[in-house]
């Protein structure tokens, strides 16, 4: 066997083994299963896991952008006309949210933590100074008091109305942005505080929320089941709420939005519990996106999250009292806001019933600026980019006994909205890319084996073709040499005349007529005469 034949056979054997092993591993998904099992064990809330520190102290910066609706025609609105507002902002604050008092429970399967939030003003990302800029907005404490008195007697409401008028309290006020956010001493609440001490005399949309937490959380660590990673077990000691009118609406589902389980697929429905919204919401897959070179799935709340119970009966549990429901796109949260007629929605009533949008001039809802979404890296479940947008509104309507409201058209009046954003930082993005590269290489190792087998197959084909070509060339050379030898032998053959006469007779032959001569193996025959 020649050296060339040995090379061909060896290449064929290696090629066959590579293709068989590679295809077998590819079909069985051995390496993919192995790397997925590894991710399930690594991505847990334990002191030895790589994600634990980033869960305790999230590295991506979180920014809170506050936008306010400045009322431009207060007197016209009070006289029965449509309200007109103009958006001002953003006033941006950097949010810090480390987890504190972290304690493992039940053999490491659950973890307790507080999540205090601190806000620091960022002037370079803001339109002005919140301690200087004035905004004309609804006097929420006054409206809340009127709403509480709506069930009392007409005479009591009239007495309170006269008392409030003498104090100079109006439906619209002009505080600074800082006062609206972080609180101011309200004269009406101060009077109420005098005979009802549990009522705070200060009011602000973010009053007592700077440096405080939203409650005590107990999370699943994911040790038992990777699908439970980061899910809330209890909030303030409760496994479900009691504000709403159905068990489904009172459920505390999902995570707090900071983490999600690994190996997310596009068909999943993800849940987030939003304490500030007093409920859980679900997110559905929208599209594939790319953030800083990292592929991610975008999830967003679908239309049915705040859909009217007439169109989505599962939302009927959010009507309190039962049967008293608002339309699509808004949610009344009075039950968890001390009875104040507060309504939440997406900014500018995005995805809401057009009647709410048309009731106020100056609104322009659009997907780019007002959609809430979450971009998740599907392999690790890590949020790459988040944008949470929510609007705070208040119900303004006629309250008998308060003359200033007698011409009001009932309106869900926009107060402000917040745009909470976070994007993965560059260092974390680089680490994520490295991790994903390793995962991709290990998962696709069988593909590399099959690829090497295909390359060797091509080499085998080339070697085989060249070997056949060599053999054909050898045969052609042998044939040519044989033909050349035969031709040479033919040219060198001696022709000898055969005759029984003496040699001298040959001398006279030239003078005689030509005969039919004879050559080797032929007898001389005289030419016959005609």
């Amino acid at each position: 066997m020649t050296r060339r034949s040995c090379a061909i056979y060896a290449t064929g054997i290696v090629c066959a083994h590579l293709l068989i092993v590679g295809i077998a591993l590819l079909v069985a998904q051995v390496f993919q299963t192995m790397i997925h099992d590894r991710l399930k064990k690594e991505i847990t809330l334990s002191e030895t896991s790589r994600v634990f520190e980033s869960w305790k102290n999230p590295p991506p910066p979180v920014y809170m952008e506050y936008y306010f609706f400045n009322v431009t025609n207060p007197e016209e609105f009070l006289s029965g006309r449509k309200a007109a507002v103009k958006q001002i902002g953003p006033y941006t604050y950097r949010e810090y949210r480390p987890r504190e008092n972290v304690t493992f429970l039940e053999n490491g399967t659950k973890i307790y933590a507080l999540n205090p939030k601190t806000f620091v003003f960022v002037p370079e990302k803001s339109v002005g100074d919140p301690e200087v800029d004035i905004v004309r907005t609804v006097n929420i404490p006054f409206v809340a008091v009127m709403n509480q008195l709506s069930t009392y007697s007409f005479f009591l409401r009239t007495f309170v109305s006269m008392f409030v008028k003498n104090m100079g309290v109006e439906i619209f006020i002009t505080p600074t942005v800082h006062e609206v956010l972080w609180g101011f001493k309200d004269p009406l609440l101060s009077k109420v505080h005098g005979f009802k001490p549990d009522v705070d005399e200060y009011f602000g949309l973010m009053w007592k929320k700077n440096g405080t937490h939203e409650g005590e959380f107990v999370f699943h660590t994911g040790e038992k089941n990777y699908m439970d990673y980061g899910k809330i077990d209890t909030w303030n000691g409760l496994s479900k709420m009691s504000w709403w009118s159905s068990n489904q609406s009172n459920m505390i589902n999902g995570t707090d939005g900071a983490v999600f389980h690994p190996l997310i697929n596009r068909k999943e429905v993800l849940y987030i519990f939003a304490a500030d919204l007093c409920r859980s919401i679900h997110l559905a897959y929208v599209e594939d996106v790319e953030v800083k070179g990292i592929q991610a799935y975008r999830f967003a709340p679908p239309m049915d999250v705040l859909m009217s119970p007439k169109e989505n009966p599962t939302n009927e549990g959010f009507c309190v009292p039962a049967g008293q429901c608002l339309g699509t796109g808004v949610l009344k949260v009075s039950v968890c806001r001390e009875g104040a007629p507060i309504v939440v929605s997406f900014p500018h009533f995005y995805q809401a019933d057009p009647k709410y949008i048309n009731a106020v001039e100056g609104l322009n809802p659009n997907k780019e600026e007002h959609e809430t979404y979450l971009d998740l890296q599907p392999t690790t479940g890590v949020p790459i980019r988040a944008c949470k947008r929510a609007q705070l509104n208040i119900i303004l309507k006629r309250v008998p006994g308060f003359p200033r409201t007698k011409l009001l058209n009932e309106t869900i009046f926009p107060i402000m909205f917040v745009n909470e954003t976070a994007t993965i930082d560059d260092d974390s993005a680089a680490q994520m890319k490295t991790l994903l590269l390793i995962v991709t290489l290990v998962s696709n190792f069988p593909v590399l084996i099959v690829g090497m087998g295909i390359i060797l197959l091509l080499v085998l084909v080339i070697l085989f073709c060249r070997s056949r070509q060599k053999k054909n060339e050898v045969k052609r050379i042998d044939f040519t040499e044989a033909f050349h030898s035969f031709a040479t032998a033919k040219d060198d053959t001696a022709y000898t005349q055969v005759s029984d006469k003496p040699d001298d007779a040959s001398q006279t032959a030239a003078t005689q007529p030509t005969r039919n001569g004879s050559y080797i193996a032929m007898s001389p025959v005289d030419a016959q005469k005609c």
Side-chain angles (χ1 to χ4, degrees), residues 122-195:
V122 184
E124 59 271 20
K125 291 181 175 288
S126 305
V127 297
D129 186 347
E131 297 189 6
V132 176
D133 294 353
I134 302 294
V135 58
R136 182 183 287 110
T137 186
V138 176
N139 188 343
I140 295 178
F142 181 32
V143 175
V145 169
M146 286 194 295
N147 185 72
Q148 289 287 346
L149 292 173
S150 60
T151 57
Y152 287 79
S153 68
F154 177 80
F155 296 103
L156 178 61
R157 291 197 299 270
T158 303
F159 173 78
V160 173
S161 174
M162 296 173 58
F163 177 76
V164 168
K165 184 177 181 181
N166 291 333
M167 290 179 59
V169 176
E170 293 291 342
I171 294 178
F172 291 99
I173 55 176
T174 54
T176 65
V177 170
H178 181 84
E179 288 175 331
V180 174
L181 277 177
W182 308 111
F184 62 95
K185 190 174 183 179
D186 183 77
L188 180 58
L189 292 180
S190 296
K191 295 294 183 182
V192 176
H193 177 76
F195 59 86

Side-chain angles (χ1 to χ4, degrees), residues 3-230:
R3 185 178 299 174
R4 184 181 299 275
S5 298
C6 289
I8 292 175
Y9 286 126
T11 303
I13 293 171
V14 175
C15 171
H17 279 80
L18 286 175
L19 288 175
I20 292 171
V21 173
I23 292 173
L25 292 175
L26 197 61
V27 172
Q29 296 185 339
V30 175
F31 282 85
Q32 188 175 8
T33 303
M34 181 181 68
I35 197 68
H36 285 179
D37 289 342
R38 183 68 176 176
L39 284 172
K40 292 174 186 178
K41 292 180 180 178
E42 285 289 334
I43 302 180
T44 58
L45 295 178
S46 64
E47 291 182 336
T48 58
S49 71
R50 298 182 180 180
V51 298
F52 185 62
E53 282 303 320
S54 61
W55 177 79
K56 285 178 61 178
N57 296 286
V62 180
Y63 293 100
M64 303 286 285
E65 297 178 338
Y66 294 97
Y67 296 83
F68 295 87
F69 294 99
N70 189 60
V71 184
T72 59
N73 64 340
E75 292 302 322
E76 290 83 349
F77 174 71
L78 292 174
S79 64
R81 295 176 57 185
K82 182 189 297 187
V85 297
K86 182 180 180 181
Q87 177 181 300
I88 60 173
Y91 296 90
T92 306
Y93 293 79
R94 170 78 184 271
E95 180 182 346
Y96 297 88
R97 46 168 67 187
R99 299 185 192 271
E100 297 179 352
N101 296 353
V102 176
T103 307
F104 287 95
L105 307 172
E106 298 183 19
N107 295 324
T109 60
K110 296 178 182 179
I111 188 170
Y112 168 92
L114 300 176
N115 194 196
K117 299 179 181 180
T118 304
F119 303 90
V120 179
F121 181 63
V122 184
E124 59 271 20
K125 291 181 175 288
S126 305
V127 297
D129 186 347
E131 297 189 6
V132 176
D133 294 353
I134 302 294
V135 58
R136 182 183 287 110
T137 186
V138 176
N139 188 343
I140 295 178
F142 181 32
V143 175
V145 169
M146 286 194 295
N147 185 72
Q148 289 287 346
L149 292 173
S150 60
T151 57
Y152 287 79
S153 68
F154 177 80
F155 296 103
L156 178 61
R157 291 197 299 270
T158 303
F159 173 78
V160 173
S161 174
M162 296 173 58
F163 177 76
V164 168
K165 184 177 181 181
N166 291 333
M167 290 179 59
V169 176
E170 293 291 342
I171 294 178
F172 291 99
I173 55 176
T174 54
T176 65
V177 170
H178 181 84
E179 288 175 331
V180 174
L181 277 177
W182 308 111
F184 62 95
K185 190 174 183 179
D186 183 77
L188 180 58
L189 292 180
S190 296
K191 295 294 183 182
V192 176
H193 177 76
F195 59 86
K196 198 173 182 182
D198 58 326
V199 174
D200 202 321
E201 56 184 335
Y202 285 84
F203 171 80
L205 300 177
M206 297 291 290
W207 172 246
K208 290 185 177 180
K209 291 185 179 181
N210 196 352
T212 60
H213 56 80
E214 293 180 327
E216 300 178 351
F217 286 88
V218 174
F219 303 92
H220 291 278
T221 61
E223 287 285 349
K224 285 186 176 180
N225 185 351
Y226 82 99
M227 293 291 290
D228 290 335
Y229 168 66

Side-chain angles (χ1 to χ4, degrees), residues 7-20 23 448-466:
I8 292 175
Y9 286 126
T11 303
I13 293 171
V14 175
C15 171
H17 279 80
L18 286 175
L19 288 175
I20 292 171
I23 292 173
L448 298 177
I449 295 176
V450 173
M452 291 174 61
I454 293 174
I455 293 173
L456 284 180
L457 180 62
L458 294 176
V459 172
L460 178 63
V461 171
I462 294 171
L463 290 176
F464 184 76
C465 291
R466 291 190 64 181

